[in-house]
Amino acid sequence: MKKVTIKDIAREAGVSIATVSNVMNNKPNRVSEKKKREINKLMEKYNYAPNLNARSLVAQESKMIGILYYSTKEEIDFGDPFISDLMTGLEFEAKKQGMFLMFHGFNELADIDVLQRNWNFDGFIVVGAFEHIITELINKISKPIVFIDSYYNHDFERANILFVNNDDRKLSYEATKTLLEHGHRQIAFFSPTFSLTDDGVVPQRYLGYMDALAEYELRPDEKLLFSEEEMERFIDLSSNYTAFIINSDYLAAQYLQQLRERKLRFHSFVSFDNNIFAKLLDPSLSTVDLRQKEKGRISVRQINLMLQHATQEQTMENKILVEGELIQRDSVLERKKEHGKNF
């Protein structure tokens, strides 16, 4: 059976090839709704799929966005709902915009050179990069880049770069203050390993934690700073604190599971993400909703806008702050009631 081409679709619909192309590229403003439906029915009838490589060569675009997830670990844990929520938002909007995603975890910049040699991406979305990584990526990539959950305090002149973040410092301040308002004073900070010289999400949250302690004239205690690799030690030393900030719902779930296995009581805590399991756990999590799905949707839309205005001199904003929200549930107790729950 002869393979149907875009010319065949255009001929049968009685329109130009350009009109069919507009429908495929989700540009319905250039085509009447009636004709759009007719063209889509013909493509369904013949099971027509456009030749993306040919379109890429002709239009010098691929409709592909590279999702670059930075991690210092060798393996990315896709079981973390933080990642799945973000990917849900990215994929939903990409499908809506007629674009395609390729996900790549990286911890070495050489990976980016290989990607660019082998694939024709229209733009990139980078998640969780530190300042020195961002500088290198800006130098290596000329295509539009949206950085999610990445902080950068240096000047840059390019118009096709955007940062999509929460105000992590403010949100962590509010989370810590919630614990303080419930009578807690010995408050630990439990997170992935970080350095304040790397201006990322976790350092920003640590600064917010310190801001709240300072407001109550409390000094941060280095003995109350724990990394996620120290889960057992964190639990063993629980007599040193009455409450804590924990940097993800996923980490909080692991903490609660450890307590169940050891039949120990939980301490009050606030976590981050507000993922699908936050209200299903026992106790349900008091957590900061970071609106990860919305960050994904915004990022794809902004990449598309950058591509549309690539040849125009247009000043676009280079930072978007997504409003977060503290959701209070059962994992925060008044100081005098903090040992009220035993697993």
Side-chain angles (χ1 to χ4, degrees):
M1 183 177 177
K2 178 187 173 185
K3 184 177 179 180
V4 174
T5 68
I6 190 171
K7 289 182 180 179
D8 297 323
I9 298 292
R11 187 182 305 112
E12 189 164 338
V15 297
S16 68
I17 292 173
T19 299
V20 178
S21 178
N22 284 335
V23 172
M24 288 191 303
N25 286 298
N26 199 28
K27 297 177 180 176
N29 57 310
R30 303 183 185 182
V31 188
S32 71
E33 283 298 318
K34 181 180 178 182
K35 188 57 69 174
K36 179 186 172 187
R37 287 193 296 271
E38 183 182 343
I39 292 169
N40 280 324
K41 283 181 179 179
L42 285 170
M43 288 193 288
E44 289 177 14
K45 174 183 174 182
Y46 293 112
N47 196 25
Y48 173 73
N51 185 328
L52 295 178
N53 287 329
R55 281 170 58 188
S56 175
L57 291 171
V58 174
Q60 294 187 330
E61 62 181 31
S62 64
K63 295 294 182 182
M64 286 181 61
I65 302 174
I67 310 299
L68 306 179
Y69 192 98
Y70 179 72
S71 175
T72 56
K73 299 177 182 178
E74 288 296 321
E75 187 176 87
I76 295 174
D77 188 352
F78 284 94
D80 187 341
F82 164 86
I83 297 176
S84 60
D85 279 354
L86 180 61
M87 291 302 295
T88 297
L90 290 166
E91 197 277 337
F92 177 87
E93 190 63 31
K95 187 178 291 184
K96 187 176 175 182
Q97 300 285 346
M99 306 187 86
F100 302 87
L101 305 179
M102 178 184 285
F103 188 98
H104 183 78
F106 77 104
N107 52 31
E108 294 184 4
L109 287 161
D111 293 357
I112 309 307
D113 296 327
V114 174
L115 278 176
Q116 292 201 98
R117 281 198 302 269
N118 289 283
W119 298 90
N120 177 27
F121 292 102
D122 287 344
F124 292 89
I125 294 173
V126 182
V127 185
F130 295 139
E131 280 192 340
H132 67 285
I133 298 294
I134 295 170
T135 297
E136 291 291 339
L137 291 175
I138 289 173
N139 290 333
K140 284 177 177 290
I141 299 171
S142 60
K143 301 286 181 71
I145 314 174
V146 174
F147 291 94
I148 301 176
D149 292 341
S150 307
Y151 286 85
Y152 198 60
N153 294 315
H154 303 286
D155 294 331
F156 57 88
E157 296 181 356
R158 284 173 51 184
N160 62 349
I161 292 176
L162 174 70
F163 291 84
V164 178
N165 293 322
N166 302 111
D167 189 339
D168 288 284
R169 183 168 183 166
K170 177 186 174 186
L171 292 171
S172 183
Y173 160 81
E174 291 172 351
T176 308
K177 191 169 180 179
T178 294
L179 295 171
L180 289 162
E181 288 171 344
H182 281 75
H184 298 279
R185 295 297 180 267
Q186 290 75 42
I187 301 174
F189 188 84
F190 190 28
S191 72
T193 303
F194 71 96
S195 168
L196 287 174
T197 59
D198 288 323
D199 195 3
V201 167
V202 177
Q204 284 292 312
R205 291 178 187 168
Y206 184 67
L207 292 173
Y209 159 82
M210 291 197 298
D211 290 343
L213 294 182
E215 187 173 307
Y216 278 68
E217 299 182 348
L218 299 171
R219 284 186 170 186
D221 184 347
E222 288 189 4
K223 294 178 181 177
L224 297 182
L225 178 59
F226 298 89
S227 71
E228 63 182 331
E229 293 82 10
E230 301 176 299
M231 178 70 80
E232 289 192 10
R233 178 172 168 270
F234 175 65
I235 294 173
D236 289 340
L237 296 179
S238 60
S239 61
N240 293 349
Y241 54 86
T242 68
F244 58 94
I245 295 294
I246 189 165
N247 268 258
S248 73
D249 295 344
Y250 189 49
L251 200 53
Q254 294 175 53
Y255 162 78
L256 292 173
Q257 179 59 33
Q258 290 270 347
L259 293 187
R260 286 189 181 88
E261 291 177 358
R262 297 167 66 167
K263 301 188 185 308
L264 296 174
R265 301 180 179 98
F266 80 92
H267 282 338
S268 292
F269 64 87
V270 179
S271 55
F272 288 82
D273 292 342
N274 194 34
N275 68 41
I276 191 171
F277 303 110
K279 60 184 177 183
L280 303 178
L281 291 168
D282 182 18
S284 59
L285 306 186
S286 291
T287 182
V288 178
D289 188 345
L290 300 174
R291 298 177 64 202
Q292 290 302 115
K293 291 178 184 177
E294 182 62 17
K295 285 190 209 169
R297 289 192 284 264
I298 288 170
S299 298
V300 174
R301 284 199 297 267
Q302 292 298 316
I303 284 279
N304 210 25
L305 282 173
M306 290 177 188
L307 292 170
Q308 289 177 23
H309 299 297
T311 59
Q312 302 175 19
E313 289 190 14
Q314 178 164 333
T315 302
M316 299 181 71
E317 56 187 328
N318 56 32
K319 290 182 182 179
I320 293 179
L321 275 182
V322 176
E323 193 72 28
E325 180 185 5
L326 177 60
I327 309 296
Q328 296 205 39
R329 297 193 182 98
D330 298 333
S331 68
V332 176
L333 301 173
E334 293 292 336
R335 172 71 180 88
K336 62 183 179 181
K337 297 178 182 177
E338 65 171 357
H339 295 300
K341 178 88 175 180
N342 200 350
F343 290 112

